[in-house]
Amino acid sequence: MDTVSLAKRRYTTKAYDASRRIPQATVDALLEQLRHSPSSVNSQPWHFIVADSAEGKARLAKSTAERFAYNTPKLVDASHVIVFCTRTEMTEAHLNAVLEQEAADGRFRDEQARAAQNQSRRHYVDLHRYDQKDVQHWMEKQTYLALGTALLGAAAHGLDATPIEGFDSKILDAELGLRERGFTSVVILSLGYRAETDFNAGLNKSRLPVSQVFTFL
């Protein structure tokens, strides 16, 4: 797979063809790729809400109705919309669940390896919790790694996509009951197929030159 071509081809879609639906097999493959996103010390501090019905997408669109109305069509006209959520705290229950899943998946040769992984992960969690005091920001960084995985995956499947930060997270959290579940919404991803009216589809991609972006040592 030519990932460079994928990166050059994908762009932020501004308008969707509401009549077109993503095949379920494609959705399933993309979600499986999303589930396997990387995260620091395999912390996986995320949850994903997937909306594919008109009713579900309308619920998400409540978060754009006031200050971010220009984003509403990107939610209601897209085939599928994913809300990327981050934990509001790194709980004991979550740390234990991750460790148990790693054990079930055969990650540890012996009990010593299991204990070492548990200690290493907790070390980094405590580093951000107590020393750097940025544990929430750190967890959100991991969620954005998942967003990057989904964007490249969408391009690989021939889908159009739009990452959206222009929404009211308080409204969305309340609508979905996220904070009661220990999460908060961070970013939204619309997925589907571009409309003919999407002006951005015909524009050249623009990035800073290599000389400004990279330093080689």
Side-chain angles (χ1 to χ4, degrees), residues 25-217:
T26 302
V27 174
D28 292 342
L30 183 60
L31 295 182
E32 187 65 2
Q33 181 176 353
L34 179 57
R35 189 173 70 89
H36 283 84
S37 298
S39 61
S40 178
V41 292
N42 199 28
S43 53
Q44 304 176 65
W46 48 50
H47 187 77
F48 309 110
I49 307 291
V50 182
D52 64 345
S53 66
E55 294 78 11
K57 289 181 287 185
R59 291 182 64 188
L60 304 187
K62 292 179 182 180
S63 67
T64 60
E66 296 180 9
R67 293 185 294 150
F68 307 100
Y70 54 87
N71 279 329
T72 298
K74 301 183 187 77
L75 300 182
V76 298
D77 292 340
S79 172
H80 289 65
V81 181
I82 304 175
V83 181
F84 287 66
C85 310
T86 302
R87 302 191 69 86
T88 54
E89 60 178 314
M90 184 62 74
T91 65
E92 277 293 308
H94 180 68
L95 289 170
N96 290 333
V98 171
L99 188 67
E100 289 301 320
Q101 188 63 55
E102 289 171 332
D105 290 337
R107 290 283 298 169
F108 310 126
R109 295 185 305 275
D110 49 36
E111 189 58 35
Q112 183 178 3
R114 173 185 173 124
Q117 172 68 358
N118 186 37
Q119 181 181 14
S120 175
R121 181 159 41 240
R122 288 174 180 274
H123 165 76
Y124 278 97
V125 170
D126 286 345
L127 177 68
H128 289 281
R129 180 183 285 151
Y130 301 119
D131 296 348
Q132 299 185 18
K133 302 185 187 302
D134 67 343
V135 68
Q136 183 65 33
H137 183 53
W138 175 70
M139 290 191 293
E140 290 178 0
K141 287 179 181 178
Q142 314 318 311
T143 305
Y144 271 83
L145 288 178
L147 175 64
T149 297
L151 285 170
L152 194 59
H157 287 289
L159 303 177
D160 294 310
T162 311
I164 299 172
E165 291 183 316
F167 69 97
D168 191 319
S169 63
K170 290 183 180 179
I171 291 176
L172 191 54
D173 287 2
E175 174 66 27
L176 301 177
L178 289 175
R179 298 189 185 183
E180 293 83 352
R181 298 168 61 186
F183 294 96
T184 185
S185 53
V186 175
V187 64
I188 298 174
L189 180 64
S190 293
L191 297 161
Y193 302 96
R194 73 191 69 170
E196 292 184 0
T197 56
D198 182 8
F199 72 90
N200 207 28
L203 299 179
N204 292 331
K205 197 156 194 165
S206 178
R207 293 295 186 270
L208 293 170
V210 170
S211 60
Q212 292 186 35
V213 174
F214 296 104
T215 295
F216 299 96
L217 303 179

